[in-house]
Amino acid sequence: MIQHLVLFRMRPDASADAVNEMLHRLNRLRDEVPGVLRLSCGANFCSRAKGYTHGLAVEFDSPEALEAYQVHSAHQAALSEAIRPVVEADGILALDYEF
């Protein structure tokens, strides 16, 4: 199994509506991209996040499924249309591991 974790740091001028749209688009990937076993995302509530405000966790059954997710048109559209417009330029941190 593969776990894909992403932390996001929102731009200070990102509107609540735009951030909610980002979360909505991320949640839709669960149904739009084959190979996604589980997906969750939401706003941080912990004081140890070092400025990261939102997180995403996606589980796959193989590294190949993760690779297919990365290049899938729905993921690429969410990234360009809903994520990058609200996230700081260096505000995405990703980590993938196998378990």
Side-chain angles (χ1 to χ4, degrees):
M1 300 295 259
I2 303 296
Q3 187 70 51
H4 174 62
L5 302 172
V6 184
L7 301 178
F8 303 100
R9 191 171 49 240
M10 296 300 120
R11 294 169 37 145
D13 63 341
S15 72
D17 286 344
V19 173
N20 286 335
E21 176 62 17
M22 180 193 84
L23 294 173
H24 174 72
R25 293 287 295 272
L26 288 171
N27 273 309
R28 281 184 16 201
L29 294 175
R30 180 184 310 116
D31 299 321
E32 295 175 337
V33 181
V36 172
L37 300 177
R38 288 180 197 80
L39 183 149
S40 65
C41 62
N44 173 59
F45 62 84
C46 130
S47 62
R48 300 170 294 157
K50 300 191 183 226
Y52 288 94
T53 58
H54 294 75
L56 168 72
V58 189
E59 191 175 304
F60 302 94
D61 64 1
S62 68
E64 294 78 19
L66 170 60
E67 289 174 25
Y69 165 86
Q70 295 289 4
V71 298
H72 193 279
S73 60
H75 176 260
Q76 290 297 311
L79 190 58
S80 65
E81 297 167 9
I83 299 169
R84 287 197 177 121
V86 296
V87 172
E88 291 183 354
D90 65 344
I92 298 177
L93 176 64
L95 174 78
D96 301 319
Y97 63 88
E98 193 165 3
F99 64 100

